[in-house]
Amino acid sequence: MDIPDFYTTVYTILKEVPQGRVVTYGLLARLAGQPTQARRAGRAMACLPDHLKHLPAHRVVNSQGRCAPDWPEQRILLEKEGVGFRPNGCVDLSRYLWEVIRSLS
DNA sequence: CAGTTGACTTGCA
DNA sequence: GTGCAAGCCAACT
């Protein structure tokens, strides 16, 4: 899979994420067929093209439930969608992680 | 063209 | 719970 295709796949998957759910970068990479490319998934968000700004990129967090290092809005956007945060500022993955993860184990 | 960086993950201390 | 190290590889300097 070429890198551009990888990005495209990530964006496509992201588009399928229901409101009130979150996914991890690593999970996106796995669903895109590249389990070791979690960082590419991160770049896919960091370099999100203008014509894809409508994607719910704010529903993407890292494996620990933490938000992007430089994106204060993300947490607010998620809270608006009903995603709860722990007191320490992390998303409660055990409750809000996209259920797809369970079907692929 | 070589070295560094990073919207990551996993594992161990 | 937190922190550091290694592995990953495209993008950036």
Side-chain angles (χ1 to χ4, degrees):
Chain A
M1 149 132 32
D2 292 354
I3 292 303
D5 279 344
F6 175 75
Y7 285 121
T8 303
T9 306
V10 168
Y11 296 143
T12 303
I13 296 168
L14 186 56
K15 198 165 49 180
E16 304 301 316
V17 179
Q19 187 181 53
R21 295 285 176 177
V22 298
V23 289
T24 70
Y25 296 100
L27 180 55
L28 280 175
R30 283 175 90 173
L31 293 175
Q34 299 289 330
T36 69
Q37 303 287 1
R39 288 192 120 129
R40 278 340 90 226
R43 261 214 101 57
M45 301 301 107
C47 301
L48 194 66
D50 290 344
H51 60 89
L52 290 174
K53 293 293 188 190
H54 61 93
L55 291 179
H58 56 274
R59 293 182 192 144
V60 185
V61 296
N62 68 15
S63 67
Q64 302 184 4
R66 288 202 175 283
C67 305
D70 292 306
W71 193 12
E73 278 189 338
Q74 179 175 30
R75 179 174 166 167
I76 299 173
L77 290 170
L78 286 174
E79 286 178 324
K80 245 163 101 178
E81 292 193 349
V83 176
F85 279 75
R86 294 178 168 178
N88 59 343
C90 295
V91 176
D92 191 344
L93 290 177
S94 61
R95 273 167 44 95
Y96 299 106
L97 188 63
W98 192 21
E99 55 266 13
V100 166
I101 191 174
R102 269 167 264 182
S103 34
L104 49 80
S105 355

